[in-house]
Amino acid sequence: MKICSVIGARPQFVKAGAVSRALKQDGRIEEVLIHTGQHYDFNMSEVFFREFDLAAPRHNLGVGSGRHGAQTGKMLEGLEEVFLSERPDLVLVYGDTNSTLAGALAAAKLHVPIAHVEAGLRSFNRAMPEEINRIVADGVSDVLFAPTDVAAAQLRREGHPEERIVWTGDVMYDAALMTADVARSRSRVLDALGLQDGGYYLATVHRAENTDDVRRLASIVESLATVAETHPVVLPLHPRTRAALERSGLLARAEQALRLVEPVGFVDMVRLEMGALAVASDSGGVQKEAFFYGVPCFVLRDETEWVELVDAGWNTLVPPGDAAAMATVMLARDASRRREVRPYGDGNASGVIVAELARRLGA
Ligand code: UD1
Ligand code: UDP
């Protein structure tokens, strides 16, 4: 039995880091990794292959950056070729990026069964490119691996047949647990940046709705600058955000007020998350990882797919726009509503996925 896994953007390397390891340990299914080339800088791609000991992709399409249509179109063309030559029994796609969309569509057109890891997430905001990618990927998938109860319920509400929906827990929780000890013992990032455990905020920003809207981006920079008057704010800068800050003339202000660093590898990222007093982020992955390590997160968005953490009082939506109001919320760190919850399983989502794939493929 053979599957092709399509990955291409940073969070997919983390998710594959957990699932590919479980596939290898299980041994019943051969996995061929296909990298679309959506992310290509060393610290946006290769570093994760090294840290997770992921096999080198058998195919790298080298698609690179571009507008949605052009980027997705190149991926479709390349993936079709690869699927025709590899003849997989199933294609595995992850999350909600353009690489997910292309992997799912290319496979669907060739009548290859598709499994979608992280199915059923919705922001109910179709202006987000990711929302379109999720809806299409779920629509053409044969196996819908839902990470949470909320996601599984959403798939049912949309009328997806029951036999397609499999609750798994979150593979990012698996990756977070796998990496915690390594980060604690090996990462030197706090020393390198002169930071103390519990003494700083960690921020990440990269969503199109924040980087491509100068007013929102400026409010994020200014609100974090206010926070930085009392605690250092470390911001590993996504290349998209660096470009947007440069374009909009905000880079100098951000450099002066915040600790801007290049994107970091996963081990250092986990260490930064663990040690933070609080996290401020528009990232899907980072807002959960903060919770995995018991750190509250301010979600720099108008809505989130990971609603269970907002409901449980760990995460707080901080819609960009009014810098002063944002800073007030982020500095208050109100802990009164936090409840103990375990919405993401027990760290074995990858095991559930592998067992289910093996069962369905008759491996
Ligand atoms: C993509 C995903 C987003 C995901 C994010 C994870 C889509 C539509 N978006 O957004 O859902 O949360 O990845 O990080 O698929 N760039 C580089 N070097 C790189 C990669 C990107 O310089 O290695 C720059 C380029 O200028 C590029 C820009 O970043 O145009 C955006 O990259 P792209 O992959 O199109 O989207 P992301 O914003 O990274
Ligand atoms: N991440 C990382 N280094 C960084 C920023 C993020 O290793 O400098 C990791 C983060 O811990 C998480 C994943 O990348 O596991 C999330 O990716 P990103 O925020 O780019 O995408 P999203 O999750 O929003 O789709």
Side-chain angles (χ1 to χ4, degrees):
M1 286 295 148
K2 172 156 100 177
I3 68 171
C4 284
S5 297
V6 179
I7 53 181
R10 177 165 66 184
Q12 291 160 337
F13 309 135
V14 175
K15 293 165 198 175
V19 176
S20 292
R21 178 180 297 192
L23 278 164
K24 214 185 297 170
Q25 276 168 0
D26 178 81
R28 282 176 287 176
I29 299 172
E30 180 197 355
E31 182 186 38
V32 174
L33 279 182
I34 306 170
H35 191 321
T36 62
Q38 178 170 351
H39 287 176
Y40 43 85
D41 292 345
F42 177 85
N43 51 8
M44 295 293 288
S45 175
E46 177 68 26
V47 66
F48 300 96
F49 284 79
R50 294 191 186 184
E51 290 180 323
F52 283 108
D53 200 19
L54 273 167
R58 188 178 294 172
H59 306 272
N60 188 326
L61 307 179
V63 160
S65 306
R67 288 200 304 268
H68 287 274
Q71 187 184 52
T72 311
K74 283 186 201 149
M75 290 178 191
L76 275 173
E77 198 173 345
L79 287 169
E80 187 171 63
E81 289 287 336
V82 171
F83 294 161
L84 284 170
S85 69
E86 290 286 352
R87 303 189 152 278
D89 297 294
L90 179 137
V91 165
L92 190 62
V93 296
Y94 291 92
D96 55 17
T97 72
N98 287 347
S99 297
T100 317
L101 174 69
L105 266 185
K109 297 282 180 146
L110 294 172
H111 311 298
V112 180
I114 303 154
H116 183 202
V117 175
E118 228 177 66
L121 291 192
R122 299 290 180 267
S123 64
F124 305 101
N125 174 2
R126 289 204 180 198
M128 281 182 82
E130 292 85 358
E131 185 77 350
I132 307 298
N133 296 344
R134 294 177 192 127
I135 291 168
V136 176
D138 284 343
V140 298
S141 288
D142 302 275
V143 191
L144 298 161
F145 288 128
T148 61
D149 288 340
V150 176
Q154 178 61 26
L155 291 167
R156 292 195 179 97
R157 229 181 340 266
E158 290 178 10
H160 293 278
E162 193 59 37
E163 67 271 15
R164 291 194 183 165
I165 304 169
V166 183
W167 186 93
T168 57
D170 185 8
V171 296
M172 288 193 106
Y173 186 38
D174 302 11
L177 292 180
M178 275 159 55
T179 312
D181 287 345
V182 179
R184 232 177 256 114
S185 60
R186 298 216 203 122
S187 173
R188 298 283 164 267
V189 71
L190 296 199
D191 287 346
L193 295 174
L195 299 168
Q196 309 283 327
D197 265 307
Y200 62 93
Y201 279 58
L202 171 68
T204 79
V205 182
H206 74 276
R207 291 271 156 219
E209 77 235 29
N210 287 333
T211 58
D212 299 0
D213 179 328
V214 178
R215 194 183 68 93
R216 287 173 73 97
L217 189 59
S219 74
I220 291 172
V221 171
E222 276 315 312
S223 63
L224 293 176
T226 304
V227 172
E229 288 169 11
T230 48
H231 300 283
V233 176
V234 184
L235 174 54
L237 206 50
H238 190 292
R240 176 189 198 106
T241 314
R242 179 173 290 280
L245 289 171
E246 270 169 13
R247 219 173 33 236
S248 52
L250 291 164
L251 187 60
R253 172 66 175 142
E255 271 173 340
Q256 170 254 326
L258 314 174
R259 304 285 299 274
L260 301 189
V261 296
E262 289 301 304
V264 295
F266 191 61
V267 172
D268 283 346
M269 187 63 183
V270 166
R271 187 66 188 87
L272 284 168
E273 289 168 341
M274 286 174 158
L277 180 58
V279 170
S281 179
D282 61 8
S283 158
V286 173
Q287 66 187 277
K288 283 175 294 161
E289 286 163 356
F291 166 75
F292 299 152
Y293 303 122
V295 175
C297 179
F298 298 104
V299 180
L300 302 170
R301 291 184 45 193
D302 298 343
E303 73 280 308
T304 177
E305 303 77 28
W306 305 100
V307 288
E308 50 283 323
L309 295 182
V310 176
D311 294 343
W314 282 91
N315 291 359
T316 309
L317 285 173
V318 180
D322 179 339
M326 294 167 70
T328 302
V329 177
M330 291 195 280
L331 283 166
R333 297 191 308 279
D334 174 15
S336 63
R337 288 182 50 250
R338 283 178 213 158
R339 279 189 298 112
E340 288 306 314
V341 288
R342 289 185 69 84
Y344 302 114
D346 57 4
N348 187 37
S350 310
V352 175
I353 288 170
V354 172
E356 190 62 26
L357 289 174
R359 190 181 72 76
R360 288 181 186 239
L361 292 171

